[in-house]
């Protein structure tokens, strides 16, 4: 029997939450069949911390970017232009718009996101997009600064089928499905995951956040992605192995640098 192979397309392994046992967390991920973990930068310090992790753990693959929460502190982002050209960096992000918390003014969020879309195009890297309660402005930003020939993922997708369909049809993006799909009450998301095209879905944990059932309330970690995979399989009436295979193939189309 071949071992299941899975990619965690969105994690934050640089976080303090893993200070005490990061090696054990990464070992458990490997034992669970997770061959690559995209660990997303949120500012300069976390982007560089993920690069340092890659040096010690080859399954950790860094992205570099500025999270919308931190957009107000982004400045000229010269460091990001530098990291974007580092061969180890697999994507630009996470970047995007978060109108739920509004930790940065919305016009600044839009500007910092637009600049990262532009940079990603310049260096031909995929984009990791964060979108919370900002659906209309996300579509506007993509219309203005993104073309469907490129690659992007809207991570932690928790929208409706119609929003997912609109994103896939107009921009051909991937949708990151995480722990929220295991929540009993997430009926609109269940419907979306059932019906959206399987070749546009990727799996993620967004750990240490978004912990799947039955571990809700505790710290999330990459090995828990198996719970998300199993729930997606159940919703689509497929085996977990089939979902793992499909989403892993999707992840390597989304992030070409994962194939090394
Ligand atoms: Zn996010
Ligand atoms: Zn994230």
């Amino acid at each position: 029997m071949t071992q299941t192979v899975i990619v965690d397309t969105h994690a934050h392994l640089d976080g303090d939450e893993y200070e005490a046992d990061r090696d054990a967390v990464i070992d458990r991920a490997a034992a669970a069949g997770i061959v690559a973990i995209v660990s997303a930068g949120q500012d300069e310090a976390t982007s560089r911390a993920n690069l340092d992790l890659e040096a010690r753990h080859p399954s950790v693959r860094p992205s570099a970017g500025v999270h919308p929460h931190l957009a107000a502190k982004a400045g000229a982002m010269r460091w990001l232009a530098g990291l974007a050209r580092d061969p180890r960096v697999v994507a630009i992000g996470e970047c995007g718009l978060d109108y739920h918390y509004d930790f940065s003014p919305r016009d600044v969020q839009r500007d910092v996101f637009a600049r990262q879309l532009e940079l990603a195009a310049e260096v031909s890297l995929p984009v990791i997009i964060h979108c919370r309660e900002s659906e209309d402005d996300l579509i506007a930003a993509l219309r203005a600064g993104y073309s469907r020939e490129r690659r992007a993922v809207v991570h932690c997708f928790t929208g409706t089928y119609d929003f997912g369909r609109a994103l896939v049809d107009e921009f051909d993006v991937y949708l990151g499905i995480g722990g929220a799909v295991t929540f009993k009450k997430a009926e609109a998301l269940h419907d979306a995951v059932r019906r959206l095209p399987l070749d546009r879905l990727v799996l993620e944990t967004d750990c240490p956040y978004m912990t799947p059932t039955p571990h809700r309330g505790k710290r999330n970690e990459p090995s828990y992605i198996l719970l998300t995979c199993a729930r997606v399989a159940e919703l689509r009436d497929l085996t977990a192995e089939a979902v793992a295979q499909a989403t892993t193939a999707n992840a390597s189309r989304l992030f070409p640098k994962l194939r090394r």
Side-chain angles (χ1 to χ4, degrees):
M1 218 183 95
T2 52
Q3 152 115 47
T4 302
V5 168
I6 294 195
V7 175
D8 183 351
T9 59
H10 196 103
H12 298 286
L13 289 179
D14 57 284
D16 292 343
E17 295 84 352
Y18 302 110
E19 217 44 67
D21 63 344
R22 188 175 287 108
D23 290 358
V25 166
I26 294 170
D27 287 349
R28 276 197 291 280
I34 297 151
V35 290
I37 304 163
V38 177
S39 198
Q42 305 178 81
D43 62 0
E44 179 173 8
T46 55
S47 297
R48 291 196 190 283
N50 283 314
L51 272 170
D52 291 345
L53 282 182
E54 192 264 3
R56 277 174 287 138
H57 304 280
S59 65
V60 177
R61 311 299 301 273
S63 76
V66 177
H67 192 287
H69 287 347
L70 301 164
K73 295 180 197 147
M77 300 197 297
R78 268 188 284 273
W79 62 272
L80 183 56
L83 285 191
R85 290 162 175 87
D86 187 307
R88 296 167 295 175
V89 169
V90 302
I92 297 298
E94 63 179 300
C95 55
L97 305 169
D98 192 313
Y99 295 174
H100 177 76
Y101 287 109
D102 278 326
F103 286 155
S104 295
R106 293 183 181 182
D107 58 328
V108 177
Q109 293 189 41
R110 287 191 288 268
D111 173 60
V112 169
F113 181 36
R115 281 154 61 201
Q116 292 180 85
L117 286 176
E118 201 180 299
L119 175 62
E122 223 174 273
V123 297
S124 294
L125 278 181
V127 188
I128 300 172
I129 298 171
H130 172 108
C131 169
R132 188 149 181 210
E133 294 174 26
S134 52
E135 286 80 0
D136 292 347
D137 279 7
L138 172 65
I139 299 230
L142 292 176
R143 279 184 187 149
Y146 182 80
S147 71
R148 57 180 288 127
E149 293 69 39
R150 292 173 23 213
R151 295 183 180 90
V153 57
V154 175
H155 104 90
C156 194
F157 181 77
T158 52
T160 59
Y161 170 77
D162 287 342
F163 181 50
R165 186 85 240 181
L167 286 172
V168 170
D169 285 352
E170 184 167 352
F171 305 109
D172 202 25
V173 295
Y174 293 82
L175 304 170
I177 307 301
V181 78
T182 68
F183 302 167
K184 208 171 169 182
K185 289 184 179 155
E187 282 159 14
L189 179 59
H190 296 160
D191 172 60
V193 168
R194 228 177 247 125
R195 296 197 284 145
L196 286 165
L198 182 60
D199 67 356
R200 284 297 173 272
L201 303 186
V202 293
L203 301 179
E204 66 169 68
T205 57
D206 202 12
C207 67
Y209 318 110
M210 294 302 292
T211 310
T213 305
H215 302 298
R216 270 185 100 171
K218 288 189 269 177
R219 179 190 73 175
N220 196 4
E221 64 170 68
S223 64
Y224 293 172
I225 204 168
L226 296 183
L227 296 161
T228 298
C229 182
R231 186 69 182 114
V232 171
E234 196 171 62
L235 287 165
R236 298 199 65 114
D237 202 16
L238 292 169
T239 63
E241 180 58 38
V243 170
Q245 258 177 33
T247 54
T248 296
N250 298 344
S252 62
R253 282 199 311 275
L254 165 62
F255 299 119
K257 283 190 179 178
L258 290 187
R259 307 179 216 133
R260 67 172 173 196

